Amino acid sequence: MSQDLAATRGVTEVEERSPSLLVRLLAETFGTFLLTLVIVGMLVYGPLNSAQALGVALGGAFAYIAGAAAVGRISGAHFNPAISLGAWLGGRISVGAMFSYWGAQLVGAILAVAVLFVTLPGTLVELLGKEDTAGVFSSAVNGFGELSPLYLQTQGGAQFDWGFALLIEVIISAVLVGVYLGANDPRRPIGYGPLAVGSAIAALTLVSWFVTNTGMNPARSTAAAIFAGEWGQLWLFWVAPLVGAALAALFYRAFGSSELEETDELDLDEDDDLDDDGVVVVEETEIVAVETPAKAEAEAEAEVATPEPAKKADDKA
């Protein structure tokens, strides 16, 4: 009804206001904080439980779903620089917003690991046989070769070199970003994005945990490397996720373009159109007075009640 009123009153645009950039950045900070807190926390305290890869996978999935349910409508629930890159290449956000998201995600991840770092009991460091707190956080660092979980699990018997680690990280990042773009497509009538992305995080973690400790998120990888003091292999966990994200976004955009053209008018009336910013534009309609039977009868009665002026007789011969 509001669109009909807008049309009859000459209003040509119907627009839904979106949250400000600051609000979206705060949402991304919160979501990345939650996701990193759970994943890194599970890895740091892993020696005290038997959950290992399954626990990290489920923890990451549940954390993402919870964060996306809380703030997804505000920021889109990226919580990951790779997803933000994919969203930009997919035409969902601007390049300026992407870099702003990256900053917010790094802040959220660093804050999460900082909380874990300062609250770790000093006695636990000794019980785990580590020299300092940073040594405990080495179990949360992404790595290959001697830093690969496979190397530790096999006591040096097997390991993944950087080439295989790079390939795995590119693949899992591409799959994650592809799932995000597909599940959060604005043309989908049902919103199940958080569940789909959370499920992807769980499945991909189980596949890649023994390879690299599952990177797939440069913000989480950077935060863990900062507090563990191990920066040597961090480059791979920025390059691989971003390359994977770019491949997924370009692939999705290329093969989804034809579908986009066919379904653009799905939720629009025949006379509606979209402007350059994606705002629905309703064409101005001219209001035409329609003569109803009741109105016609009333006018006829008025004419009968009002006699025409009598014609003047010509009395002159």
Side-chain angles (χ1 to χ4, degrees):
M1 182 179 292
S2 61
Q3 290 185 1
D4 294 337
L5 289 175
T8 56
R9 293 178 182 177
V11 179
T12 59
E13 291 188 0
V14 179
E15 180 178 0
E16 182 179 354
R17 296 184 179 275
S18 60
S20 65
L21 179 60
L22 177 59
V23 174
R24 286 183 283 158
L25 296 182
L26 291 175
E28 282 297 301
T29 301
F30 166 77
T32 312
F33 175 90
L34 175 61
L35 183 63
T36 305
L37 183 73
V38 173
I39 292 177
V40 175
M42 292 291 296
L43 291 170
V44 167
Y45 291 101
L48 303 179
N49 58 64
S50 57
Q52 293 189 354
L54 180 60
V56 176
L58 294 178
F62 293 153
Y64 180 86
I65 293 172
V71 299
R73 62 183 179 82
I74 298 175
S75 67
H78 296 182
F79 311 157
N80 183 337
I83 291 180
S84 296
L85 175 64
W88 169 57
L89 292 175
R92 309 281 178 89
I93 61 174
S94 65
V95 63
M98 181 195 72
F99 285 117
S100 298
Y101 273 35
W102 283 13
Q105 291 155 0
L106 285 170
V107 169
I110 292 172
L111 287 176
V113 182
V115 169
L116 293 171
F117 191 87
V118 300
T119 58
L120 189 76
T123 54
L124 181 60
V125 177
E126 299 178 1
L127 291 174
L128 294 176
K130 304 294 184 180
E131 296 181 357
D132 52 19
T133 306
V136 178
F137 278 79
S138 62
S139 60
V141 173
N142 298 116
F144 53 87
E146 295 184 359
L147 294 180
S148 172
L150 182 64
Y151 181 87
L152 300 176
Q153 293 290 327
T154 61
Q155 298 180 352
Q159 65 181 27
F160 285 96
D161 294 329
W162 73 269
F164 294 111
L166 179 68
L167 178 61
I168 292 296
E169 284 291 323
V170 168
I171 292 173
I172 63 175
S173 299
V175 171
L176 176 65
V177 174
V179 170
Y180 176 88
L181 293 175
N184 290 280
D185 193 311
R187 294 164 290 165
R188 291 189 177 277
I190 301 176
Y192 54 88
L195 182 60
V197 177
S199 301
I201 289 175
L204 295 171
T205 299
L206 292 174
V207 170
S208 61
W209 184 77
F210 282 101
V211 183
T212 59
N213 220 7
T214 306
M216 200 163 55
N217 188 332
R220 163 261 192 272
S221 301
T222 301
I226 288 175
F227 289 91
E230 298 183 7
W231 296 79
Q233 299 179 357
L234 181 60
W235 64 271
L236 186 143
F237 299 97
W238 271 92
V239 172
L242 296 184
V243 169
L247 293 175
L250 296 176
F251 182 89
Y252 185 83
R253 191 164 188 173
F255 286 88
S257 59
S258 58
E259 180 184 356
L260 178 62
E261 293 176 358
E262 294 175 0
T263 59
D264 263 347
E265 299 108 9
L266 183 61
D267 297 328
L268 299 176
D269 294 332
E270 292 181 357
D271 295 333
D272 293 347
D273 199 0
L274 291 175
D275 67 1
D276 294 337
D277 297 326
V279 178
V280 178
V281 178
V282 184
E283 293 184 358
E284 238 182 283
T285 58
E286 182 179 357
I287 301 176
V288 180
V290 179
E291 185 174 356
T292 61
K295 183 176 180 181
E297 183 178 353
E299 290 178 354
E301 291 177 357
E303 290 179 359
V304 172
T306 306
E308 294 182 359
K311 294 183 179 179
K312 294 182 179 180
D314 188 5
D315 296 335
K316 295 182 179 181

